[in-house]
């Protein structure tokens, strides 16, 4: 997800609508911390103590520009601060390290920093820690997966490699659109107008890097022990656990209550859930699908559960090595032959909703039924189109990660294809999320593989550009369409939310023609906690708000 799991136009006023879209439910108990529409009251927060939280194995080194998936993203969310912080209840962007971000034309921006904001090593966050970091992140030879996020900045293309192996060095290692004015001021110039740049700047890739990193970026310690400006700092990182302690130098407004957090790495949802039930794990954000049936999980966690509507979508993507799946009609037939309504009801007990497009309903700009007939279950039409497309020769696989509890729904999809289409289908289960993502990154997979997206920032654009723009950082299927790219470009330069949304919606409609990935469902995230903690809540991103939790 996110970031799988994990660029452009919504103004700040547009994203504030997110809070009105949430449908949150929580156990009717004072210990519940579910936010949004929940009427549950929280207990007064206390400082001190330690907690344990379900974690998973990060795919990549913990460098902000190289983490685009949830396992690593959750870690970096705890240890980094950015110019902008997203409100944990509404996702509205709020100034954090930035004192102000001003522009009169959506192309030239002046950023002023709060003075004396510090990294966890005690050094002050200066304008150069942003400018030098972003230049390093975007520099082609550094091969950072999130370098694409800096593409709008003027001079970005001059930092890119001329060939895939990067045998010839780029023209320069500094973007012309970034200038340090003084220690607390820098300017950003974009190559074209970008109407939602302020909204984007809270994403992990835009985190500043400390002088220690910039002086020695190849030091192996940064892979596991990054220095950030967030509320926590990493004190231990092993294959089984990642431990944080409160950052004593933290300068922001989102101070943590607990002194210590340990992410316990689980390779299966069931043990994490069972440990939470037994009060051996304090928070889990992953409930096994078999526990959702008949609300068994709520009975197992009396007064210790919550549900948060989240900006998360789930899809399956065709592997680039699979020549048969390049047939658009075949992909559409397979998309039409997924009974989303039954799967979300029987397997997810209503915690998922059938997708009718590629954008989450929680963001302003969402338009209903963008996928059209291809996302509506009709086995008769699906079979006719499947036969017209020539069917699928051999065995079609769906690759899923074993630590994410994906076997139930993916087997249901496979079984439906077998029954309705006569298609040979089987699952390919990897031991963990990292293994699956490594195979995706290396383009090793045939058949379909599970994909998902946890929004990086609250914008319709974030569900389109990073995933489907030509060459985008999370474009796992290598989709490319000039018409789609042109719509994104036009939307980014729009002068109003209404105009931008209309253009992004038109771009999304192009996806219905090409079906580069098959939409499955959108998510409400169920979560649970032990009787040791209080004020537990998820953000609109579906992530645990570590700063809110306290020990009773």
């Amino acid at each position: 997800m996110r970031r799988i799991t994990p660029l452009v136009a919504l103004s700040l006023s547009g994203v504030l609508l997110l809070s009105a879209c949430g449908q949150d439910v929580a156990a009717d108990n004072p210990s519940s911390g579910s936010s949004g529409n929940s009427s549950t009251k929280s207990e007064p927060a206390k400082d001190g103590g330690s907690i344990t939280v379900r974690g998973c194995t990060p795919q990549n080194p913990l460098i902000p520009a190289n983490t685009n998936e949830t396992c690593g993203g959750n870690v970096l969310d705890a240890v980094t601060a950015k110019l902008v912080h997203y409100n944990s209840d509404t996702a509205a962007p709020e100034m954090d390290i930035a004192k102000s971000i001003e522009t009169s034309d959506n192309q030239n921006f002046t950023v002023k920093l709060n003075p004396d904001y510090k990294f966890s090593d005690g050094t002050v966050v200066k304008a150069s820690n942003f400018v030098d970091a972003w230049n390093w992140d975007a520099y082609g030879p550094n091969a950072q997966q999130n370098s694409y996020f800096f593409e709008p900045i003027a001079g970005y293309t001059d930092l890119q490699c001329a060939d895939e192996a990067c045998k010839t060095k780029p023209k320069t290692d500094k973007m012309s659109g970034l200038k340090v004015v003084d220690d607390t001021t820098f300017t950003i110039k974009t190559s074209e107008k970008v109407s939602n740049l302020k909204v984007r700047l809270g994403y992990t890739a835009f985190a500043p890097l400390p002088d220690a990193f910039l002086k020695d970026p190849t030091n192996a310690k940064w892979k596991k022990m990054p220095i950030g400006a967030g509320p926590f700092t990493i004190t231990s990182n092993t294959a089984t656990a990642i431990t944080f302690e409160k950052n004593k130098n933290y300068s922001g407004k989102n101070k943590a209550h607990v002194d210590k957090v340990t992410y316990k790495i689980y390779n299966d949802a069931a043990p994490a859930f069972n440990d939470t039930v037994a009060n051996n794990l304090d928070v889990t954000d992953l409930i096994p699908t078999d526990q959702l049936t008949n609300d068994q999980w709520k009975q197992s966690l009396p007064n210790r559960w919550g549900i948060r509507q989240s900006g998360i979508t789930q899809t399956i993507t065709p592997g680039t090595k699979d020549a048969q799946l390049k047939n658009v009609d075949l992909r559409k037939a397979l998309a039409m032959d997924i009974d989303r309504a039954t799967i979300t009801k029987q397997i997810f007990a209503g915690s998922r909703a059938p997708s009718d497009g590629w954008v989450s309903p929680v963001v302003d700009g969402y338009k209903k039924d963008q996928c059209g007939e291809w996302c509506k279950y009709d086995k008769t039409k699906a079979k006719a189109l499947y036969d017209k497309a020539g069917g699928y020769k051999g065995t079609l696989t769906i690759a899923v990660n074993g630590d994410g509890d994906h076997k139930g729904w993916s087997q249901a999809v496979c079984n439906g294809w077998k029954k309705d289409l006569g298609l040979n289908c089987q699952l390919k289960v990897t031991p963990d999320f990292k293994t699956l993502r490594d195979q995706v990154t290396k383009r090793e997979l045939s058949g379909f593989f599970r994909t998902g997206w946890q929004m990086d920032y609250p914008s319709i654009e974030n569900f389109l550009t990073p995933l489907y723009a030509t060459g985008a950082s999370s474009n796992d299927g290598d989709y490319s369409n000039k018409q789609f790219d042109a719509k994104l470009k036009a939307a980014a330069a729009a002068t109003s939310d209404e105009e931008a949304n209309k253009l992004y919606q038109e771009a999304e409609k192009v996806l219905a023609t090409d079906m580069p990935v098959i939409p499955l469902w959108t998510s409400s995230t169920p979560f649970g906690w032990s009787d040791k903690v209080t004020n537990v809540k998820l953000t609109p991103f579906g992530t645990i708000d570590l700063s809110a939790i306290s020990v009773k």
Side-chain angles (χ1 to χ4, degrees):
M1 297 182 52
R2 182 190 322 242
R3 283 192 193 176
I4 180 180
T5 322
L7 305 179
V8 236
L10 278 182
S11 70
L12 301 186
S13 62
V15 300
L16 293 179
L17 296 175
L18 179 67
S19 60
C21 300
Q23 294 181 356
D24 305 318
V25 180
D28 189 14
N29 182 280
S31 68
S32 170
S34 192
S35 59
N37 293 339
S38 171
S39 60
T40 307
K41 296 180 180 179
S42 299
E43 294 182 0
K46 298 178 181 178
D47 289 340
S50 62
I51 62 171
T52 55
V53 177
R54 185 199 75 88
C56 48
T57 305
Q59 179 193 10
N60 298 305
L62 295 174
I63 298 171
N66 207 34
T67 294
N68 68 342
E69 44 74 35
T70 303
C71 299
N74 289 343
V75 174
L76 287 175
D77 283 347
V79 301
T80 63
K82 281 76 68 178
L83 294 171
V84 169
H85 170 78
Y86 301 121
N87 184 283
S88 62
D89 291 327
T90 68
E94 303 167 343
M95 294 296 106
D96 192 356
I97 298 178
K99 185 176 182 179
S100 64
I101 303 174
E102 302 294 340
T103 183
S104 59
D105 59 2
N106 283 334
Q107 189 164 12
N108 294 279
F109 301 81
T110 298
V111 180
K112 291 188 177 296
L113 308 181
N114 282 306
D116 299 323
Y117 205 113
K118 294 181 178 179
F119 288 104
S120 59
D121 65 355
T123 59
V124 175
V125 180
K126 305 181 296 295
S128 59
N129 293 114
F130 283 98
V131 171
D132 293 346
W134 294 0
N135 281 324
W136 187 88
D137 296 338
Y139 187 55
N142 292 332
Q144 297 298 286
Q145 292 200 76
N146 285 336
S147 66
Y148 178 84
F149 281 83
F150 301 94
E151 186 270 341
I153 299 174
Y156 170 84
T157 55
D158 292 336
L159 275 66
Q160 304 313 298
C161 300
D163 55 274
E164 187 173 346
C166 212
K167 294 180 180 179
T168 303
K169 284 189 175 182
K171 297 178 182 178
T172 180
D173 60 359
K174 293 179 176 57
M175 288 181 278
S176 60
L178 296 176
K179 302 291 183 184
V180 173
V181 178
D182 55 43
D183 280 351
T184 58
T185 311
F186 70 98
T187 59
I188 306 169
K189 182 177 181 178
T190 55
S191 54
E192 298 177 358
K193 293 181 184 296
V194 181
S195 57
N196 75 337
L197 185 67
K198 294 180 184 179
V199 179
R200 300 187 206 181
L201 294 177
Y203 177 52
T204 308
F206 293 101
L209 294 173
D211 292 341
F213 176 93
L214 294 166
K215 290 176 182 177
D216 186 17
T218 61
N219 193 316
K221 67 181 179 181
W222 307 127
K223 296 180 179 180
K224 290 192 171 185
M225 309 293 285
I227 295 173
F232 292 95
T233 184
I234 297 177
T235 56
S236 175
N237 187 343
T238 70
T240 58
I242 301 174
T243 302
F244 313 88
E245 290 186 4
K246 188 183 293 185
N247 176 9
K248 296 179 181 179
N249 292 306
Y250 180 60
S251 311
K253 301 175 182 178
N254 305 292
K255 298 182 185 297
H257 295 293
V258 296
D259 292 331
K260 183 179 178 180
V261 177
T262 298
Y263 268 118
K264 295 176 67 175
I265 307 299
Y266 288 86
N267 292 324
D268 193 326
F273 176 77
N274 293 336
D275 280 354
T276 306
V277 172
N279 292 304
N280 294 322
L281 180 70
D282 291 318
V283 188
T284 182
D285 57 352
L286 183 61
I287 306 299
T289 52
D290 63 343
Q291 289 293 325
L292 296 174
T293 305
N294 298 321
D295 283 340
Q296 294 180 58
W297 69 291
K298 297 178 183 178
Q299 299 169 34
S300 299
L301 293 168
N303 302 321
R304 294 194 280 136
W305 60 269
I307 300 175
R308 172 61 148 148
Q309 188 178 34
S310 309
I312 297 173
T313 58
Q314 298 288 338
T315 54
I316 51 174
T317 298
T320 56
K321 291 179 63 177
D322 198 318
Q324 293 187 73
L325 290 180
K326 295 184 185 301
N327 185 322
V328 175
D329 284 342
L330 177 59
R331 296 198 300 268
K332 289 179 176 178
L334 294 171
M336 192 186 297
D337 196 58
I338 297 175
D339 191 351
R340 295 166 181 80
T342 298
I343 292 174
T344 54
K345 180 180 180 180
Q346 293 186 355
I347 295 179
F348 294 114
S351 65
R352 308 288 190 272
S355 289
D356 61 1
W358 290 262
V359 174
S360 168
V362 306
V363 295
D364 184 43
Y366 160 79
K367 185 176 181 179
K368 189 176 181 179
D369 203 27
Q370 287 283 73
C371 185
E373 64 178 318
W374 313 123
C375 288
K376 296 174 182 176
Y377 179 55
D378 190 324
K379 62 182 181 181
T380 302
K381 289 184 178 179
K383 183 63 166 70
L385 185 59
Y386 178 78
D387 291 342
K388 178 184 176 183
Y392 189 92
K393 308 299 188 296
T395 300
L396 178 61
T397 58
I398 302 179
V400 299
N401 50 300
D403 58 348
D405 199 34
H406 298 291
K407 295 179 184 178
W409 68 259
S410 53
Q411 190 63 65
V413 171
C414 253
N415 290 344
W417 288 343
K418 289 178 183 178
K419 179 181 176 181
D420 297 342
L421 306 176
L423 168 66
N424 290 323
C425 179
Q426 67 182 29
L427 303 188
K428 178 181 179 182
V429 183
T430 66
D432 55 29
F433 183 66
K434 180 182 185 302
T435 303
L436 177 62
R437 289 304 305 168
D438 286 345
Q439 292 175 353
V440 171
T441 300
K442 295 175 183 177
R443 301 299 192 260
E444 295 176 346
L445 295 171
S446 293
F448 285 100
F449 53 89
R450 183 198 78 83
T451 41
W453 190 250
Q454 177 190 73
M455 65 180 182
D456 300 309
Y457 44 87
S459 166
I460 179 179
E461 176 272 331
N462 188 237
F463 286 92
L464 300 175
T465 308
L467 293 165
Y468 309 115
T470 301
S473 60
S474 295
N475 187 344
D476 292 332
D478 295 335
Y479 175 66
S480 180
N481 182 298
K482 292 181 180 180
Q483 181 187 5
F484 178 82
D485 291 343
K487 292 289 185 183
L488 296 181
K489 184 176 181 179
T495 57
S496 69
D497 292 345
E498 292 76 12
E499 181 186 359
N501 286 345
K502 181 176 181 295
L503 290 165
Y504 281 125
Q505 290 163 359
E506 290 174 3
E508 185 184 9
K509 199 62 180 177
V510 175
L511 300 180
T513 300
D514 293 345
M515 196 60 63
V517 309
I518 295 177
L520 296 175
W521 32 78
T522 59
S523 296
S524 289
T525 305
F527 58 106
W529 57 88
S530 74
D531 60 12
K532 169 186 170 183
V533 294
T534 185
N535 302 324
V536 182
K537 68 177 181 179
L538 296 190
T539 71
F541 297 83
T543 59
I544 299 166
D545 185 359
L546 294 180
S547 294
I549 301 173
S550 63
V551 176
K552 291 183 179 178

